[in-house]
Amino acid sequence: MKRIITDGTPGDVHPRDPSKIFLTVRDRLDFYRNEIQCEITVLSDRSNAYLGAQSFLVVVYASTMANLNSEWGKIFTLALPVLLAVFGLILSIQALPGLKSSYAVIDHWYAKQTFMMRNEPLASVDRDGAPLFHYRETMQNGNNKALAFSMRTPWIFGSLWVLLGCFSVYVHF
């Protein structure tokens, strides 16, 4: 194992016990919550980029289906919408692992936070002025419901692209 040698004692090491990173239970809780916040931001950014790309593709798909050009409109309204549907489906398949990984990391930090809340005597005591120390704040069920939209959108858009691609072919034949 490699070690980085530095001068002095780092500020995040407990002076009496160098193996402890966190001085208090509150420090550990703040760390867990900060990690959860960062991962939720990453998940939100990935979801926004995905939804923006899908919105653009839906608008382009609708525009290509509305083409009324008599010379090349028939082949254009068959080929391009099917290609857009395939592209949208591929984007949905590609977006799913990134969203799942963010979701898994958020689950990991929530599990650590919940474990700490249930097992640390100081964290499990209700305190006036510190409502964040209550275990109900860390329930997994609420986390799953909150993140469900980001996890379902690739499946919804993937299904939509399959239907739209089939519709494009059906309309022409």
Side-chain angles (χ1 to χ4, degrees), residues 4 7 10 16 20 27 36 45-46 48 54 58 63 65 73-74 77 80-81 91 105 111 125 133 137 139 146 172-173:
I4 298 174
D7 294 337
R16 283 170 283 193
K20 291 189 177 182
D27 290 341
I36 292 168
D45 291 345
R46 288 177 180 173
N48 287 339
Q54 293 295 321
V58 168
S63 298
M65 287 299 287
K74 183 94 169 148
T77 57
L80 196 55
L91 280 179
V105 172
V125 176
F133 279 83
E137 296 275 333
M139 292 181 64
H172 288 301
F173 296 113

Side-chain angles (χ1 to χ4, degrees), residues 98-145:
L99 296 173
K100 276 186 176 181
S101 68
S102 290
Y103 186 81
V105 172
I106 292 167
D107 264 355
H108 167 77
W109 287 114
Y110 262 105
K112 288 184 82 63
Q113 177 179 286
T114 302
F115 180 79
M116 183 198 74
M117 296 297 240
R118 290 186 181 153
N119 295 317
E120 285 287 335
L122 293 175
S124 62
V125 176
D126 273 346
R127 298 176 183 208
D128 291 348
L132 296 180
F133 279 83
H134 200 276
Y135 75 92
R136 281 179 263 159
E137 296 275 333
T138 64
M139 292 181 64
Q140 196 69 26
N141 192 21
N143 175 42
N144 292 342
K145 288 179 182 176

